[in-house]
Amino acid sequence: MALAVGAGVVGLAAPASAVTGTATASMHCQLPPGSPSPNPRDMNSTYTVEVPDEVQPGDVLPAGSVKVTPSPTGVTVPLQLTLTMTPSVTFELENAGIPAGTKVTVTGAVQDPQTVPANGEPSIAPWTNNAPITIPASASPGAIKWLADSSKTITTITNPPLGAQETTCTANAPKVAIVTNQIPVPTVPTTTKLTPNNGGPGTAVTATGVNFAPGPVTCTASLAGVDTDTGTGTADAAGNATCSLTVTTKADSIRIGATPGKAFVWVTPIEGVPHPVDIEVLPGALAIGPAGGLPTLDLGSITINGKSQTVTGTFNAAAVQDFRGGSLGWDVTVTRTPFLNTATGHAMNTAALTIAPTCAVTNPDSPSPCAVGAAGAITDTPKQVASQAPGGEELTGGEFAVGGGASLKLPPFMFADAYQSVVTFSMA
């Protein structure tokens, strides 16, 4: 990554949790007249946000169900003032089926007046939504990510009587993901394995499964959806089922209960002289490339103006290949070196670089999907940006492209120079 500074998006992310998340949001704020300089200014405030668990698109959240707890703002007032505040935060919602840019606002009730001494710091008490919030409907049920978009506090100043003053703050890009409500994965009965998974007439097969009601179970062989042979078994108190049957006629699937079946390979008995044909399939590589490295991400140039500035770009995608032929997973992480000019010795030690990761399947025959890591800062500590979960009894692997959006927040002052940092994508 290279950046030329002629004559200079905030790394804002926090891991999501089940119902509560905390993150530091960097806001660009226009303060009321008479506030200490600079005005406007950049401020950081830590928000803890609580949302109901199991919220689905289309739900209506009742008043009082979303709670916002801010940290001190770091803003001081030059004179003793009596303030009354009405706070709110607007969130952008992310879900595969919700239209991009969809926003909801959590507005609190008018808070009790507070008297702040000269050079003191006003505080904002935690608040909950004072009106119902409708989550837009979506064709993709699932978890919803809440990203802080902007905040607004209506501040009425009564001493001296300056009238209603409004402080408006807008989040610096990229928006910060504060909390993701969890949608529990249904524990549906599942047939997990057949032992053996092939054979001819008279083959004894043991089928196993998970998440069944404790007690007797039935397993069934079928051909093209038509049931053939059946067997019996039991599920223990933990829901682990074991069922045995003997395959007497041709079948292509065996299942426990009403679950989707596992494939069974029918071996037709043939009269004559057998002539076995053997082949060994060797595992391929787990690799990330290209070996020669990715093209430079050039963020262009920017002019020093005495304020923090943000530039954005896109990391070129690294190719991931998992040809191991097993059920293992993998992780891709990123690290970076400091922004330096090795010829002049100048450095931008306070420059904040972040990534909003992406991961796409590039081979449609890939047996596995890939998961995207949370957006956040890139440092010399490895940060996960993409992963493939182990498959258990299922085959994993495939071909993928891992990249993401790049955001760089620059300090207000630095040496005018050309700087470079090397971002490294690594796999394990």
Side-chain angles (χ1 to χ4, degrees):
M1 172 173 286
L3 175 68
V5 179
V9 194
V10 174
L12 305 175
S17 63
V19 293
T20 303
T22 301
T24 299
S26 177
M27 299 285 180
H28 192 64
C29 300
Q30 181 68 49
L31 308 181
S35 298
S37 62
N39 187 10
R41 67 173 66 175
D42 279 343
M43 299 186 301
N44 292 323
S45 185
T46 297
Y47 290 85
T48 298
V49 178
E50 300 175 50
V51 299
D53 208 10
E54 302 186 30
V55 174
Q56 290 275 16
D59 288 352
V60 177
L61 305 182
S65 60
V66 179
K67 183 179 180 180
V68 180
T69 303
S71 69
T73 62
V75 177
T76 59
V77 295
L79 303 173
Q80 177 174 310
L81 299 174
T82 300
L83 308 176
T84 304
M85 297 184 178
T86 306
S88 69
V89 170
T90 298
F91 296 93
E92 184 170 319
L93 305 181
E94 277 192 0
N95 168 273
I98 293 178
T102 297
K103 299 177 182 180
V104 298
T105 299
V106 179
T107 301
V110 178
Q111 299 193 350
D112 293 336
Q114 59 179 299
T115 299
V116 183
N119 300 314
E121 182 177 333
S123 63
I124 303 177
W127 73 91
T128 60
N129 55 308
N130 61 2
I133 296 175
T134 299
I135 306 298
S138 167
S140 301
I144 302 170
K145 184 180 292 184
W146 295 61
L147 299 91
D149 177 75
S150 62
S151 70
K152 181 181 289 188
T153 300
I154 307 301
T155 306
T156 302
I157 302 174
T158 57
N159 178 27
L162 299 180
Q165 303 292 320
E166 183 175 298
T167 298
T168 303
C169 300
T170 303
N172 290 311
K175 302 173 183 68
V176 52
I178 292 185
V179 62
T180 301
N181 67 282
Q182 298 291 321
I183 304 299
V185 177
T187 54
V188 297
T190 304
T191 302
T192 59
K193 188 176 182 180
L194 306 179
T195 307
N197 66 349
N198 67 91
T203 299
V205 177
T206 299
T208 57
V210 295
N211 300 326
F212 287 84
V217 295
T218 300
C219 46
T220 306
S222 62
L223 176 64
V226 177
D227 294 344
T228 53
D229 298 300
T230 61
T232 59
T234 59
D236 61 20
N240 300 310
T242 302
C243 188
S244 299
L245 61 77
T246 299
V247 177
T248 62
T249 58
K250 186 175 182 179
D252 59 15
S253 176
I254 296 176
R255 69 183 188 276
I256 301 177
T259 68
K262 301 292 288 185
F264 182 81
V265 180
W266 177 259
V267 181
T268 303
I270 301 176
E271 297 289 338
V273 179
H275 188 162
V277 177
D278 293 338
I279 181 173
E280 182 180 6
V281 179
L282 300 176
L286 174 66
I288 186 169
L294 294 165
T296 298
L297 171 56
D298 190 343
L299 295 180
S301 61
I302 198 165
T303 302
I304 295 172
N305 64 5
K307 297 180 177 61
S308 296
Q309 300 183 76
T310 298
V311 289
T312 61
T314 302
F315 288 106
N316 296 284
V320 172
Q321 296 177 328
D322 182 2
F323 298 152
R324 293 173 293 176
S327 59
L328 299 174
W330 49 256
D331 292 282
V332 172
T333 59
V334 292
T335 56
R336 74 170 176 93
T337 61
F339 278 93
L340 300 171
N341 184 314
T342 55
T344 63
H346 296 155
M348 291 194 302
N349 295 326
T350 59
L353 177 64
T354 64
I355 184 172
T358 61
C359 186
V361 176
T362 57
N363 184 339
D365 293 327
S366 300
S368 298
C370 59
V372 178
I378 305 176
T379 66
D380 57 0
T381 300
K383 171 181 173 51
Q384 185 190 66
V385 293
S387 63
Q388 171 189 279
E393 298 291 345
E394 302 298 327
L395 177 67
T396 59
E399 295 184 90
F400 313 90
V402 177
S407 302
L408 178 64
K409 184 179 181 182
L410 301 166
F413 294 97
M414 73 210 85
F415 280 102
D417 209 336
Y419 298 86
Q420 185 177 69
S421 171
V422 178
V423 174
T424 301
F425 288 74
S426 303
M427 168 169 273

